Amino acid sequence: MNGSCVFCQIVQGIIPAHKIYEDEFTMAFMDRSPVNKGHVLVIPKDHYALLEKMEKDDARHLMATVQKVGKAVMRLPNVIAYNVRLNNGPGAGQVVEHVHFHVIPRYADDGLEDWKGQEYSDEEVRETRNLLIKNI
């Protein structure tokens, strides 16, 4: 646990949250600034700032909880789909430095935009692919 981390404080019960699910390894609760009605955060109980720093078993438990929450979100009235989003690091928009997945319900005509793709040359794709392969 990290005493200054708001999510660790939620896990410890210091800060209240609208929990929807909890097990030995994970917790899911309502986002305080939801993108859409039903927006849920799913976190590991152990403190990890970044996804790649997580232990494999903790990551496995976390994804199982994301899946459970996704199933519950799909049963909300008028939900047609959902997004799962992870902002991994401050450069990606991560505000709380504790791994957390956003499960965001989608409604018809909700106004949320999806990512816009970009085009790269075959050479750029090959170069990037080769760098990624070297780093795995």
Side-chain angles (χ1 to χ4, degrees), residues 22-26 45:
E22 182 175 9
D23 63 25
E24 182 181 350
F25 305 100
T26 65
K45 285 187 171 179

Side-chain angles (χ1 to χ4, degrees), residues 58-73:
D58 287 339
R60 183 174 51 83
H61 290 295
L62 184 62
M63 290 311 300
T65 300
V66 168
Q67 186 179 33
K68 285 179 187 180
V69 169
K71 287 178 183 179
V73 162

Side-chain angles (χ1 to χ4, degrees), residues 44 72 87 109 117 129-130 133:
N87 299 333
D109 302 319
R129 175 184 174 267
N130 290 338
I133 289 170

Side-chain angles (χ1 to χ4, degrees), residues 124-136:
E124 288 173 304
V125 172
R126 278 192 298 277
E127 287 174 7
T128 303
R129 175 184 174 267
N130 290 338
L131 288 170
L132 288 167
I133 289 170
K134 285 181 187 177
N135 290 327
I136 286 185

Side-chain angles (χ1 to χ4, degrees), residues 9-92:
Q9 291 177 16
I10 288 172
V11 169
Q12 295 171 345
I14 297 167
I15 295 176
H18 294 282
K19 288 189 268 185
I20 66 161
Y21 178 81
E22 182 175 9
D23 63 25
E24 182 181 350
F25 305 100
T26 65
M27 182 182 289
F29 50 90
M30 303 303 292
D31 192 297
R32 288 189 183 202
S33 298
V35 172
N36 261 343
K37 184 178 180 181
H39 181 165
V40 176
L41 300 179
V42 181
I43 67 168
K45 285 187 171 179
D46 288 340
H47 182 82
Y48 296 100
L50 300 169
L51 181 65
E52 64 273 15
K53 302 292 185 181
M54 289 186 72
E55 297 292 330
K56 283 184 184 180
D57 282 345
D58 287 339
R60 183 174 51 83
H61 290 295
L62 184 62
M63 290 311 300
T65 300
V66 168
Q67 186 179 33
K68 285 179 187 180
V69 169
K71 287 178 183 179
V73 162
M74 285 302 297
R75 293 185 181 109
L76 292 174
N78 303 315
V79 170
I80 60 170
Y82 63 93
N83 291 106
V84 175
R85 181 169 179 172
L86 168 71
N87 299 333
N88 198 52

